Amino acid sequence: MKHQYDRRKLEQEFDNLPDASPIADIDPFKGDIIAMVGALALDYLELGLEDTLLDIGTGRGRWAVAASPYCKRVIGIDISRRMLEDARINVASSGVENVEFFRGSFEDPCEETDVFRQNVNKVVAIYSLHHLTDPMKKEAISGLAEMLMRPGRIVIGDIMWFDDPGKHKDTWEEVYFDDSETDHPASISFMREVFETSGASEIEILQVHPLVGLISASFL
């Protein structure tokens, strides 16, 4: 079923997310599908100590904190003020000093800080891009590619269709998909095409599940 993007509804969904929700857990390696693609994404980023990482849809900041020892700086953005408050608490309790959080979104990453001036050369999005409609995904990735310092890399770990999702309804719950109004996953062929047209010089695709995958795109 096709839905329209509703930013206000998405904000409210995350502002009201229960503390125990697996979608916004602060434990980056607890063993579920999100933890699996998140850990893979960190590997595929190939972070170095001079890298600046942008984490879009950072939630409570679990991947920002996990990545922080391996790069110079992490900028986390999210549309939910409640998630950002929790992320700042998470960072404070973790004792890391190279992570900052700002309000922003795929459609407007510069809402509170000009990411184009931050020398970002690595971008990660874990379980966040699927909230955009396909045209919005295309525009967002094109914008991120334009912003990215070269050489750079964008890594997406998320719900994406490698097969007809209707054939896998018995696994929807385990990948946290319920065909809600805020979910708009795309096919893997569409995602590849978006990165190709955005100028990626190399694209790696890893299927984690028939409904979940990882894309690592390098830009030279």
Side-chain angles (χ1 to χ4, degrees):
M1 180 177 179
K2 294 293 185 182
H3 303 294
Q4 298 297 315
Y5 178 77
D6 187 335
R7 171 168 170 152
R8 183 180 294 276
K9 195 175 190 68
L10 188 61
E11 287 181 40
Q12 290 174 343
E13 179 178 313
F14 283 95
D15 283 345
N16 298 316
L17 208 63
D19 288 342
S21 171
I23 302 298
D25 199 293
I26 65 169
D27 180 357
F29 305 114
K30 68 174 186 176
D32 69 351
I33 191 75
I34 301 178
M36 186 184 302
V37 295
L40 287 167
L42 291 187
D43 287 341
Y44 273 79
L45 282 168
E46 297 186 350
L47 292 171
L49 295 180
E50 296 303 313
D51 290 339
T52 295
L53 173 66
L54 176 64
D55 177 16
I56 301 187
T58 191
R60 291 188 170 119
R62 57 173 160 172
W63 301 112
V65 172
S68 63
Y70 307 104
C71 57
K72 180 178 181 180
R73 186 179 177 215
V74 184
I75 301 165
I77 64 174
D78 203 276
I79 65 171
S80 167
R81 296 187 188 279
R82 188 294 189 71
M83 289 293 103
L84 290 171
E85 290 172 1
D86 291 351
R88 293 182 179 110
I89 293 171
N90 184 20
V91 163
S93 63
S94 301
V96 300
E97 298 181 349
N98 62 337
V99 179
E100 293 181 276
F101 296 109
F102 302 94
R103 194 159 191 248
S105 60
F106 283 102
E107 62 269 32
D108 185 11
C110 299
E111 197 168 324
E112 284 189 350
T113 186
D114 187 351
V115 293
F116 282 81
R117 295 180 177 270
Q118 305 295 341
N119 296 321
V120 170
N121 67 319
K122 301 286 175 72
V123 175
V124 69
I126 307 299
Y127 254 70
S128 53
L129 188 70
H130 75 272
H131 293 300
L132 301 186
T133 62
D134 284 1
M136 293 178 71
K137 291 184 186 75
K138 185 174 183 179
E139 185 174 347
I141 291 171
S142 175
L144 290 172
E146 182 180 341
M147 171 208 71
L148 199 69
M149 299 288 290
R150 273 34 171 193
R153 183 169 298 177
I154 299 174
V155 178
I156 308 292
D158 210 333
I159 302 171
M160 53 188 76
W161 306 147
F162 289 84
D163 196 2
D164 178 359
K167 296 179 180 179
H168 302 276
K169 280 193 174 182
D170 58 331
T171 68
W172 282 13
E173 186 175 350
E174 71 185 51
V175 301
Y176 307 112
F177 175 69
D178 59 7
D179 198 23
S180 73
E181 293 180 50
T182 56
D183 288 342
H184 311 277
S187 69
I188 192 63
S189 59
F190 175 82
M191 293 299 296
R192 176 189 286 277
E193 180 183 343
V194 166
F195 276 102
E196 288 175 346
T197 58
S198 295
S201 56
E202 182 179 351
I203 301 170
E204 293 184 68
I205 296 175
L206 178 65
Q207 180 178 336
V208 180
H209 182 280
L211 308 180
V212 177
L214 180 141
I215 297 177
S216 174
S218 299
F219 294 81
L220 301 179

